[in-house]
Amino acid sequence: QQQVKQSPQSLIVQKGGISIINCAYENTAFDYFPWYQQFPGKGPALLIAIRPDVSEKKEGRFTISFNKSAKQFSLHIMDSQPGDSATYFCAAIEETSGSRLTFGEGTQLTVNP
Amino acid sequence: EAGVTQSPTHLIKTRGQQATLRCSPISGHTSVYWYQQALGLGLQFLLWYDEGEERNRGNFPPRFSGRQFPNYSSELNVNALELEDSALYLCASSLGLARYNEQFFGPGTRLTVL
């Protein structure tokens, strides 16, 4: 059973466009929501993270929007660039399970020049 | 500063054999995590070690085991290999037990079971 559901599975965006990736969860014990970026042949790297007491967090072109009541959160990539082409994973940490990450299924983003 | 390193890069085994994967964390990091990235299944948490102790275990059979050494490096052992164990195994490290410490991932070991 996938505890964090991520969509879409793949996404193609034109350069300069906005990329939007969505995640949903059921476990209300999740209390930390990081996003990871993975390039081919590399391990995932932390991109941005949010806690549920905040509805939005922005770092450069990357923004997380968080809707606690709907148990949904999303990643927005503004002014998408070809260098953003990668696989993106949302994740969650449960307050009772220490630091173990529960990942979404991943979204393969392609930004066309 | 060196990142998380893993060895070997690739490992090919046959069904029933044992595989040993190794991970060296970033200097100063005491926590090591193991994740399995199988095709179509995403990233699944396997094991978490800190200060030589197993702190948490994912939903995997007992033939997946590991340990952490006094220098904080770690080994993942997979016994009685099955075809479905073929995956990329990722190791991550962080600065100890604090929950929001960033996990830094290595490049992974690609295990192929024939």
Side-chain angles (χ1 to χ4, degrees), chain A residues 23-101:
Chain A
C23 286
Y25 64 97
E26 289 297 324
N27 186 349
T28 55
F30 287 145
D31 67 345
Y32 187 65
F33 301 89
W35 283 86
Y36 283 81
Q37 179 188 55
Q38 185 178 27
F39 292 104
K42 304 282 189 182
L46 178 66
L47 192 60
I48 187 173
I50 196 168
R51 300 186 192 186
D53 54 345
V54 176
S55 62
E56 186 175 282
K57 184 174 181 180
K58 184 177 181 180
E59 289 185 3
R61 296 184 294 110
F62 300 91
T63 301
I64 301 178
S65 297
F66 188 85
N67 186 329
K68 188 174 181 179
S69 60
K71 290 183 283 191
Q72 294 175 349
F73 58 110
S74 60
L75 176 70
H76 291 62
I77 305 174
M78 311 300 288
D79 187 27
S80 298
Q81 299 296 312
D84 297 331
S85 297
T87 301
Y88 292 80
F89 293 93
C90 61
I93 293 180
E94 182 179 343
E95 59 181 325
T96 58
S97 66
S99 298
R100 69 183 270 180
L101 288 160

Side-chain angles (χ1 to χ4, degrees), chain B residues 34-102:
Chain B
W34 288 95
Y35 294 87
Q36 182 195 65
Q37 188 172 21
L39 202 61
L41 292 177
L43 282 146
Q44 305 287 327
F45 169 78
L46 265 166
L47 290 159
W48 170 27
Y49 293 95
D50 185 81
E51 295 285 2
E53 293 188 20
E54 184 180 298
R55 298 291 178 171
N56 206 328
R57 182 182 178 84
N59 188 26
F60 282 84
R63 55 191 187 82
F64 287 84
S65 64
R67 54 179 172 168
Q68 187 178 32
F69 299 99
N71 67 353
Y72 303 112
S73 67
S74 177
E75 249 179 28
L76 175 69
N77 294 292
V78 189
N79 294 319
L81 284 165
E82 299 179 2
L83 296 178
E84 53 265 33
D85 296 334
S86 294
L88 181 68
Y89 288 84
L90 291 162
C91 170
S93 73
S94 73
L95 277 168
L97 292 174
R99 295 190 56 245
Y100 305 126
N101 284 337
E102 180 179 350

